[in-house]
Amino acid sequence: MADPPTFELGEEHLAVARAALDRGLCPECYGRLLGRWGHGLSNPERTERISTALGRGPGPERPPCPVCGGAFARLDAWTERIVRAGEGYEWHRFTCGSRWEPERLAAEEGLWTEVGTSWGESAKAALNRELGKRVEARTGALGGGEGADLVFLVDLAVGTVEVTVAPLYLRGRYRKLDRTIPQTRWPCRRCSGRGCVHCQGTGKTYPTSVEELAGAPFVAAAAAEGTRFHGMGREDIDARMLGRGRPFVLELLRPRRRSLDLAALAARLGPEAAGRVELTEVGPATAADVVRVKEAAPEKSYRVGIVGVVPLAKVNEALSLAVGHTIAQRTPARVAHRRSDRVRARRIVAAHVVDATEGRFTIDLRTEAGTYVKEWVEGDEGRTEPSLASLVGAPLSVDFLDVLEVHDAEGT
Ligand SMILES: [Zn+2]
Ligand SMILES: [Zn+2]
């Protein structure tokens, strides 16, 4: 049971009520001058109590109300417009906001000073709350708080309702078995995605990506308008992502449906993805997961195929010198155009040879987050020191690279 309403009027409250008489205020705006006094009453109910105590009402209304401009008289019409703006979307939680002419809000504060109230509630906060209550009653959706699916903005001056559709987030891990696809959609550099001769009108540098292959069934099921893909780091295009896969969060933009069978969708990505991208551990996520994924700096394990004429004993000796030690890596020449040029200290956590034949060998390697593995093997013309090439004293080149594991907090 809710507490019974309380609204004890002292002389100081009645003084406010008297000073506000005969100003043409609507019952909502008159009662709201004491809106933060007592509880359990709507503002028009406050007006009734005040009128009983004073022995008279606030005087005739002079529409449109000088404070709210008549906004509170049109609550039902605004509610109807909000409900219509949300049609076509699945939504369970929402918030209502309103855009007021600043002069109107300033005038309201001026009135507070004039009538001497310390209990005034702003018209904007009250309207947002009253709209929220009515939309809840009409739709059964839950208003206010975190996690709104739709955010409605009532523009009082223009007479429109803007609706912002929150993204639908999902998380999981992806395995990439194809050495030709980037992690994310990569707009064509020449045309920035508009489509040109260079990209054959696709607007893309690569025909597809993990983002597109993995996202397609979810986009279709949610009737979303696009995606944003957040990986916990990324591998090179020509590197596979194996093991348990790499954690990611996928944002589905402006989804029309939100109740998706995520596991079933993840299990059948469609023929284009077959043998190229797989998803595991897919489940619902929030915006906070994007931050978690972007800020994580997990160690990673790699398998690296290396070409170089070096005796196996020399390779083993070099690896034992490297493990547990720090290397100095200057930003690689190949990424210097998009990363600041500086020297980073990184650690080789573990390394051992898994296979060796004449002129080539394969190693498994575990490194600290942010280690440039290809450059550590080859040396990057002295920009990584020491490198495996410098330790064995012979030129080396990376033949292939696979990520075997991303050792994030949820795994080993
Ligand atoms: Zn009003
Ligand atoms: Zn292009």
Side-chain angles (χ1 to χ4, degrees):
M1 280 286 281
D3 291 340
T6 61
F7 193 57
E8 294 297 323
L9 292 168
E11 189 44 47
E12 67 275 31
H13 308 111
L14 294 173
V16 169
R18 276 189 208 99
L21 290 171
D22 300 315
R23 290 170 181 263
L25 301 180
C26 73
E28 163 67 39
C29 290
Y30 184 77
R32 210 174 54 251
L33 291 168
L34 296 173
R36 293 189 302 113
W37 177 247
H39 60 78
L41 295 177
S42 69
N43 289 319
E45 286 167 342
R46 283 185 169 80
T47 295
E48 278 178 38
R49 298 279 186 105
I50 295 164
S51 301
T52 306
L54 287 182
R56 61 158 288 188
E61 274 185 67
R62 289 197 297 272
C65 166
V67 170
C68 70
F72 287 94
R74 292 194 297 272
L75 275 171
D76 288 338
W78 280 116
T79 302
E80 191 55 39
R81 280 189 210 175
I82 288 172
V83 170
R84 239 181 293 138
E87 273 172 11
Y89 296 100
E90 178 184 344
W91 48 295
H92 308 283
R93 303 191 71 114
F94 70 96
T95 57
C96 287
S98 50
R99 188 180 288 138
W100 293 66
E101 286 161 295
E103 311 82 70
R104 208 173 264 295
L105 296 177
E108 177 178 48
E109 288 188 26
L111 176 66
W112 291 349
T113 310
E114 262 179 60
V115 303
T117 184
S118 325
W119 305 279
E121 184 198 12
S122 87
K124 184 171 175 162
L127 186 78
N128 296 350
R129 185 189 60 240
E130 292 303 318
L131 286 172
K133 280 200 247 172
R134 281 164 177 77
V135 173
E136 278 188 336
R138 266 290 300 275
T139 63
L142 191 58
E146 296 285 290
D149 299 322
L150 298 185
V151 174
F152 298 104
L153 182 66
V154 165
D155 191 319
L156 294 172
V158 181
T160 54
V161 175
E162 293 167 22
V163 56
T164 304
V165 184
L168 180 62
Y169 296 90
L170 61 100
R171 54 184 285 190
R173 306 180 79 102
Y174 74 84
R175 286 163 45 87
K176 188 185 95 180
L177 311 172
D178 184 317
R179 296 188 190 280
T180 69
I181 51 176
Q183 182 189 70
T184 51
R185 193 176 181 281
W186 195 320
C188 169
R189 280 199 195 92
R190 300 260 178 109
C191 65
S192 310
R194 288 186 302 276
C196 67
V197 179
H198 182 68
C199 60
Q200 281 133 39
T202 61
K204 298 188 285 189
T205 306
Y206 293 88
T208 191
S209 60
V210 174
E211 176 177 15
E212 289 158 278
L213 293 172
F218 299 100
V219 168
E225 291 177 14
T227 55
R228 270 197 287 266
F229 192 94
H230 311 277
M232 190 180 281
R234 60 170 65 203
E235 61 286 334
D236 292 338
I237 290 170
D238 58 1
R240 294 188 297 177
M241 179 63 239
L242 305 175
R244 293 177 308 136
R246 184 184 296 274
F248 71 90
V249 174
L250 180 68
E251 273 184 66
L252 300 166
L253 305 177
R254 296 185 64 84
R256 292 187 166 269
R257 288 186 290 273
R258 293 176 180 272
S259 303
L260 310 185
D261 186 342
L262 296 178
L265 291 165
R268 41 180 168 76
L269 289 188
E272 221 206 322
R276 306 172 85 187
V277 173
E278 296 170 359
L279 298 184
T280 60
E281 299 175 36
V282 172
T286 66
D289 288 306
V290 175
V291 178
R292 178 184 60 81
V293 157
K294 299 316 283 183
E295 287 182 352
E299 292 181 358
K300 284 163 204 118
S301 289
Y302 300 89
R303 177 156 295 175
V304 196
I306 299 167
V307 176
V309 181
V310 188
L312 181 57
K314 188 75 188 163
V315 175
N316 282 325
E317 187 196 324
L319 293 181
S320 68
L321 285 173
V323 168
H325 288 96
T326 297
I327 56 172
Q329 278 201 312
R330 201 174 143 198
T331 304
R334 70 188 165 101
V335 299
H337 62 281
R338 58 188 165 89
R339 300 259 164 88
S340 63
D341 189 8
R342 59 191 183 87
V343 176
R344 298 167 179 80
R346 293 289 184 262
R347 209 165 64 87
I348 306 297
V349 178
H352 66 274
V353 175
V354 291
D355 187 38
T357 56
E358 191 61 39
R360 58 176 60 228
F361 55 97
T362 303
I363 63 172
D364 279 2
L365 182 69
R366 179 165 173 156
T367 70
E368 194 180 343
T371 307
Y372 290 104
V373 172
K374 190 167 185 284
E375 283 70 19
W376 173 72
V377 172
E378 298 178 353
D380 199 22
E381 295 174 344
R383 294 163 76 95
T384 292
E385 195 55 47
S387 65
L388 187 57
S390 72
L391 290 171
V392 299
L396 300 176
S397 70
V398 169
D399 177 36
F400 71 87
L401 180 69
D402 289 330
V403 185
L404 297 181
E405 207 60 83
V406 175
H407 302 278
D408 63 302
E410 286 165 35
T412 48

